[in-house]
Amino acid sequence: MVKKHGKKTRAKKKAQRTGAAYSSAAAGTIHTHTPLPDLTALPLVPHGSWRVLDLDLAARLVAACRAGCQSCQRTLIAKVVKEKRATLAVLAGAVYGTVPAVGLAASDTTRQWAPLARTAMQAGTGDEAFAAVDAMGEAAAAALLDDALDHWAMGDGPGLAEAVRKVAEGASQRGTADPMDAFRAAGINVVTLDDLDLPDDVDTYHLAENYGVFVGQTTTPDGQPLPMLTLYPESEGAGIEDLEARTDWDHWGLHGMPDVDPSWRLRATIADRSLSGLVHVDDDGQDDIELWRAAQTVSLPADWWALLDRAQHVLVVGPVKEADHQALQSAGDAGELLAVIARVSFH
């Protein structure tokens, strides 16, 4: 159902952007769309690597999208897809290098490429992101470009160049203000999952990044045993940047204890001694963040369940690269762990 809804949304969105062809285009006459956006800051975006960009072509394509000219878009998109993959990579990277989630309407290609785009923006180097774009078939490349243009089509005004510059310079510095604010200041409506008005019956869990878990235990500073739950990525964009963006967990180095936050809940089922999910609830008691959901019912060892029952709280820590206790030690040594003490909610 979600896939069908996404396809309908993409089709509606594309129709709104492309509109009907201008009469001059239908007649085969030459026309231009003005004003052309200032894209001189695009070379600061790392996704095209060191390759030469066609900024004039990019500006004409964005202008055509904003004007809703189907004829120009069709011609220019074909040229970008067939001949200008570096230009495609930076147009897409300027958007998907910063958004935490691509949203319901994005294609499968964009969902798969977005984690590479975010990594490139954080690292300041885009070789891997560009290589993926360069290797795409024409249909996949067109889908990525089409999704990116939906964002570019919404922005206008003289602040665009400065917005891209701030995104490129700011997103590589962890802990700075939200880089999407630069897009918003320029009038570009970057749509994230939180912005979507979805029907109540749409399950959004797999539209955001999610995690797997494994259990363990630790000892509090006063010598008391405490159950522990460790997270590892199960989607491509899951990792420390995602957790930093979606939670306010403490950075944790395997020593001491992080803060207790009762808004984080580990849900446990008494009847079969299993865990069902890890969520954050808002002030109204409604789930607003879901990091992990059990795919199947697995009964826990009796001694670990007894500890969970006694403690009524659990240390949640992550992310680690794989479901392995050695990976936990390595991530802690590298300073790449976040943690919180969550409340256990028994049902």
Side-chain angles (χ1 to χ4, degrees), residues 216-232:
Q217 76 176 64
T218 188
T219 304
T220 66
D222 61 359
Q224 298 299 313
L226 185 70
M228 182 167 65
L229 193 74
T230 303
L231 279 63
Y232 60 91

Side-chain angles (χ1 to χ4, degrees), residues 77-97:
I77 286 173
K79 186 172 183 63
V80 172
V81 167
K82 293 177 182 296
E83 304 173 20
K84 305 290 183 179
R85 290 296 176 91
T87 301
L88 191 164
V90 296
L91 283 170
V95 176
Y96 295 111

Side-chain angles (χ1 to χ4, degrees), residues 306-319:
L307 176 60
L308 191 73
D309 188 31
R310 289 197 305 272
Q312 302 285 307
H313 289 82
V314 60
L315 171 65
V316 180
V317 59

Side-chain angles (χ1 to χ4, degrees), residues 23-341:
S23 58
S24 57
T29 57
I30 298 174
H31 65 275
T32 59
H33 305 286
T34 57
L36 290 178
D38 179 2
L39 302 185
T40 55
L42 272 185
L44 294 174
V45 179
H47 302 78
S49 191
W50 44 266
R51 293 159 181 85
V52 176
L53 306 179
D54 192 332
L55 298 183
D56 176 69
L57 176 61
R60 287 188 289 123
L61 176 54
V62 171
C65 290
R66 292 176 180 173
C69 180
Q70 188 178 40
S71 177
C72 283
Q73 287 183 69
R74 185 165 53 246
T75 300
L76 297 174
I77 286 173
K79 186 172 183 63
V80 172
V81 167
K82 293 177 182 296
E83 304 173 20
K84 305 290 183 179
R85 290 296 176 91
T87 301
L88 191 164
V90 296
L91 283 170
V95 176
Y96 295 111
T98 60
V99 296
V102 297
L104 180 65
S107 65
D108 289 340
T109 298
T110 299
R111 292 179 185 282
Q112 293 169 15
W113 188 75
L116 294 179
R118 289 192 289 268
T119 299
M121 193 69 86
Q122 292 288 335
T125 177
D127 287 335
E128 187 176 0
F130 171 76
V133 172
D134 197 37
M136 288 177 184
E138 290 187 4
L144 176 62
L145 180 58
D146 194 58
D147 287 339
L149 289 174
D150 288 326
H151 293 280
W152 283 101
M154 298 179 196
D156 53 29
L160 177 60
E162 184 62 21
V164 175
R165 182 175 288 106
K166 287 181 179 179
V167 169
E169 294 174 350
S172 62
Q173 302 174 17
R174 191 176 296 170
T176 59
D178 185 354
M180 285 187 292
D181 288 343
F183 276 119
R184 296 186 182 106
I188 301 173
N189 182 19
V190 181
V191 180
T192 67
L193 184 59
D194 292 337
D195 300 320
L196 297 174
D197 184 16
L198 297 174
D200 293 337
D201 59 350
V202 172
D203 184 358
T204 62
Y205 175 63
H206 291 290
L207 301 180
E209 310 303 344
N210 43 77
Y211 297 81
V213 301
F214 62 92
V215 301
Q217 76 176 64
T218 188
T219 304
T220 66
D222 61 359
Q224 298 299 313
L226 185 70
M228 182 167 65
L229 193 74
T230 303
L231 279 63
Y232 60 91
E234 280 207 329
S235 59
E236 291 188 41
I240 190 166
E241 290 86 2
D242 174 63
L243 289 181
E244 285 176 332
R246 297 167 68 193
T247 76
D248 57 358
W249 294 1
D250 297 334
H251 282 265
W252 190 62
L254 302 176
H255 301 288
M257 283 288 122
D259 290 340
V260 177
D261 186 346
S263 295
W264 283 99
R265 309 283 174 84
L266 175 63
R267 295 202 168 123
T269 306
I270 297 172
D272 50 20
R273 218 171 56 226
S274 65
L275 303 179
S276 59
L278 177 67
V279 302
H280 182 275
V281 298
D282 60 22
D283 293 339
D284 296 324
Q286 301 298 312
D287 296 356
D288 57 2
I289 304 172
E290 186 178 14
L291 295 181
W292 167 68
R293 179 191 299 176
Q296 58 184 344
T297 300
V298 177
S299 295
L300 296 164
D303 55 348
W304 196 89
W305 180 265
L307 176 60
L308 191 73
D309 188 31
R310 289 197 305 272
Q312 302 285 307
H313 289 82
V314 60
L315 171 65
V316 180
V317 59
V320 298
K321 293 182 178 179
E322 54 189 343
D324 179 80
H325 289 284
Q326 184 58 47
L328 176 63
Q329 183 67 51
S330 299
D333 292 343
E336 297 177 347
L337 288 177
L338 301 176
V340 70
I341 295 179

